[in-house]
Amino acid sequence: MRKKKKIYVAGNWKMNLDLKEAEQFYAVFNRHYRSHPHVKVMIAPAFTHLYRMVYLYEDTDVEIMAQNMHWAAKGAYTGEVSAAMLKSVGVETVILGHSERRQYFCETDEILQKKVQRVIEENMTAVFCVGEKWEEREAGRHFQTVADQVKKALFSLHPEDWEEIVIAYEPVWAIGTGQTATPQQADEMHRHIREVIASKYGNQLAGRIPVLYGGSVKPENAAEIFAMENVDGALVGGASLIPEKFLDIIEAAKQYFD
Ligand code: PEP
C-alpha cells in the first residue's frame, strides 16, 4: 500500500470573483482556516488579484498560484504574463494545461512542453493537468490519451526536474458537470499515470509524484476520493469559490491523517 505524506487541496477560481469578492472570500476563509502539517492548500485566483492575494495570505501557509503563463521569458506577446512577472509578485506555482486552456485557447502538447520547460528554468512548480474527453473514454482510449499527454509535455524533463511537477488528472467530462469520476476510476487512472512515468523514470520517482484528482470535487465526495491509494489531493473548481465548501474539503483532507 502506497503511503501518502501529504494531501493537496488546490482551488482553481478560473475567471470568477472580482477583487472585492476575493477579499470577502479571504475574510471568511481566514476566520476559520486552521493549517495542518500534512495538508497543502493552494488557491489560483485571476492574474489581476495575485499581488493582493499573496499579501493577504502572507501570514498563512496557503500558497497563491497562477492559472497560466507564457512559455517565453519576455517579449512581444500582447496580453500574456511571464514566469518572471509571476515570481515578482510572489507566485511560484502555476497551473498548466487545464482542459479549458487546451480546448478554448488551443494549447497543444507542444506549447505545454515549452511552458513546462520555462517553469523548470525559472525554478517554479507546475500543476500539470491531463485528462480525457468523454468520447475518448467511451472509445476505450482514455489511458492512451492521458499517457500521450504526460509523455509529450513531460518526458523531456530530467529526473531532478520532477521535484517541481504536480499532476492533476481531470477527466474533461467531470469538470463543472457535477459528474464525478468514481474514486475507483480516479485511482486506476492515477495508477496508470504512475506506470507511464515509471516506464521512463523508474518506480521510485513515479511513486513520489503527487497526482491530484479534479472534476466536481465537493465536500460530499472529497473524503472518499482522498482515501484512494494513488490520489494525493484535489484540484477544485466550483467548490473552491465558496469558502465554507473549500474549508470542508480541507477538513476532509485533515481527517485522512487523524
Ligand atoms: C477544474 O476546472 O479544475 C475543476 C476541477 O472544476 P470543478 O471542480 O468545478 O469540476
Side-chain angles (χ1 to χ4, degrees):
M1 178 82 170
R2 186 176 161 267
K3 213 161 159 30
K4 277 191 263 262
K5 289 202 195 82
K6 207 193 273 184
I7 291 186
Y8 291 71
V9 181
N12 172 17
W13 284 0
K14 313 188 184 189
M15 200 172 72
N16 293 297
L17 304 188
D18 64 20
L19 185 57
K20 194 153 181 259
E21 291 166 332
E23 288 175 339
Q24 285 164 349
F25 178 105
Y26 167 78
V28 178
F29 180 86
N30 199 43
R31 209 174 308 135
H32 302 286
Y33 174 66
R34 298 288 170 270
S35 65
H36 185 286
H38 299 293
V39 178
K40 180 161 174 70
V41 179
M42 303 156 99
I43 297 177
F47 283 134
T48 47
H49 312 350
L50 288 175
Y51 183 69
R52 177 74 178 139
M53 292 296 116
V54 167
Y55 175 78
L56 280 182
Y57 287 87
E58 199 172 40
D59 294 333
T60 75
D61 65 351
V62 174
E63 181 173 355
I64 299 300
M65 59 178 174
Q67 298 176 19
N68 182 32
M69 63 167 223
H70 198 266
W71 69 77
K74 60 175 169 175
Y77 297 102
T78 301
E80 291 292 329
V81 171
S82 72
M85 289 168 186
L86 294 178
K87 288 203 295 185
S88 74
V89 296
V91 173
E92 302 282 342
T93 301
V94 57
I95 299 174
L96 291 179
H98 191 281
S99 63
E100 289 150 16
R101 300 293 318 168
R102 292 177 191 259
Q103 189 178 348
Y104 305 130
F105 302 97
C106 308
E107 291 199 2
T108 60
D109 293 317
E110 292 66 36
I111 289 173
L112 292 170
Q113 195 261 344
K114 290 201 269 181
K115 290 191 176 194
V116 169
Q117 223 43 63
R118 174 62 52 198
V119 159
I120 299 301
E121 274 161 42
E122 301 283 348
N123 297 314
M124 293 177 73
T125 298
V127 175
F128 185 77
C129 303
V130 295
E132 81 284 2
K133 300 193 187 96
W134 180 247
E135 314 83 84
E136 290 165 328
R137 179 165 280 265
E138 270 197 319
R141 282 191 281 112
H142 46 302
F143 289 123
Q144 192 54 50
T145 300
V146 170
D148 286 347
Q149 291 169 341
V150 169
K151 287 179 188 173
K152 286 182 182 160
L154 303 177
F155 270 23
S156 48
L157 294 176
H158 299 295
E160 61 275 16
D161 299 338
W162 282 85
E163 295 292 331
E164 305 305 338
I165 303 293
V166 173
I167 292 187
Y169 167 56
E170 300 206 305
V172 180
W173 47 273
I175 296 181
T177 58
Q179 192 187 345
T180 323
T182 64
Q184 291 72 24
Q185 282 172 325
D187 196 61
E188 67 173 358
M189 183 59 88
H190 288 214
R191 190 170 336 107
H192 174 66
I193 291 170
R194 288 190 205 288
E195 282 163 7
V196 171
I197 298 169
S199 70
K200 180 168 162 87
Y201 296 95
N203 284 328
Q204 226 184 2
L205 188 149
R208 267 202 330 260
I209 301 303
V211 186
L212 320 187
Y213 168 78
S216 300
V217 175
K218 40 188 182 264
E220 296 77 12
N221 59 20
E224 57 177 355
I225 292 169
F226 294 151
M228 302 312 288
E229 181 176 348
N230 286 288
V231 177
D232 298 304
L235 183 55
V236 186
S240 74
L241 297 169
I242 300 157
E244 293 81 1
K245 288 193 180 185
F246 196 51
L247 285 160
D248 281 349
I249 295 172
I250 295 168
E251 280 310 307
K254 289 182 191 174
Q255 276 160 24
Y256 174 87
F257 295 103
D258 295 339

